Amino acid sequence: MPLERPPDSLFTEPLAYRLTEGATAAEIATACAAVCVEVDAALKPIIGPLGAAALFRRSLHLAIASHPWLPAAPSSDPFTFNAALLRDALAQRRSDEAAAAANCFLQTLHELLVSLIGASLTERLLRAAWGPPTAAVIASTQAPPP
């Protein structure tokens, strides 16, 4: 059963719609990557690919302060954010560590976006990403078969 959130705290637990009690680190990692894909899709038309990638990179950089085991975003392609890199790092941790780091990263991303465009527009842009996932997004974030 998915975790439930109070309606007035839309952004306090961004993974709540995507996880069940006792979720594994791999499930947490996949959910976080799915949120990243949806946020990226929502932001690119507004702030462009470079702006979206910069927001993701900055969020990851700030989250590393609390979770130093998170990988730094490579500087080789400033126009993209590699959600798979984050997904793979989260999947290798204990589930409690993965959940804390994923929530930290996504909260940081939300807070940075609020500081740039305001709370109301951020909520409207991210509402779909913070809600229940779509089947297409879930499929796009799965790790490739070995």
Side-chain angles (χ1 to χ4, degrees):
M1 161 182 242
L3 302 175
E4 293 185 20
R5 293 185 286 172
D8 60 328
S9 61
L10 185 61
F11 295 108
T12 57
E13 294 185 42
L15 299 176
Y17 281 118
R18 297 164 191 266
L19 300 173
T20 57
E21 287 294 331
T24 66
E27 292 167 333
I28 293 164
T30 298
C32 183
V35 172
C36 289
V37 168
E38 291 187 25
V39 169
D40 189 51
L43 294 180
K44 275 185 181 176
I46 308 298
I47 63 175
L50 187 58
L55 181 65
F56 280 105
R57 290 170 171 286
R58 182 66 180 154
S59 299
L60 183 58
H61 175 76
L62 293 172
I64 288 171
S66 299
H67 306 280
W69 51 266
L70 285 171
S75 58
S76 58
D77 185 5
F79 287 97
T80 61
F81 175 74
N82 187 349
L85 179 74
L86 178 59
R87 181 197 66 218
D88 293 346
L90 293 170
Q92 295 175 18
R93 305 305 286 202
R94 292 188 331 252
S95 59
D96 61 328
E97 292 174 319
N103 277 319
C104 176
F105 168 75
L106 293 171
Q107 266 319 110
T108 301
L109 180 114
H110 174 261
E111 290 167 9
L112 285 174
L113 194 56
V114 166
S115 73
L116 294 170
I117 64 172
S120 179
L121 183 54
T122 297
E123 183 175 336
R124 285 189 303 202
L125 288 173
L126 300 186
R127 183 174 300 277
W130 254 248
T134 63
V137 171
I138 292 171
S140 73
T141 59
Q142 299 295 319

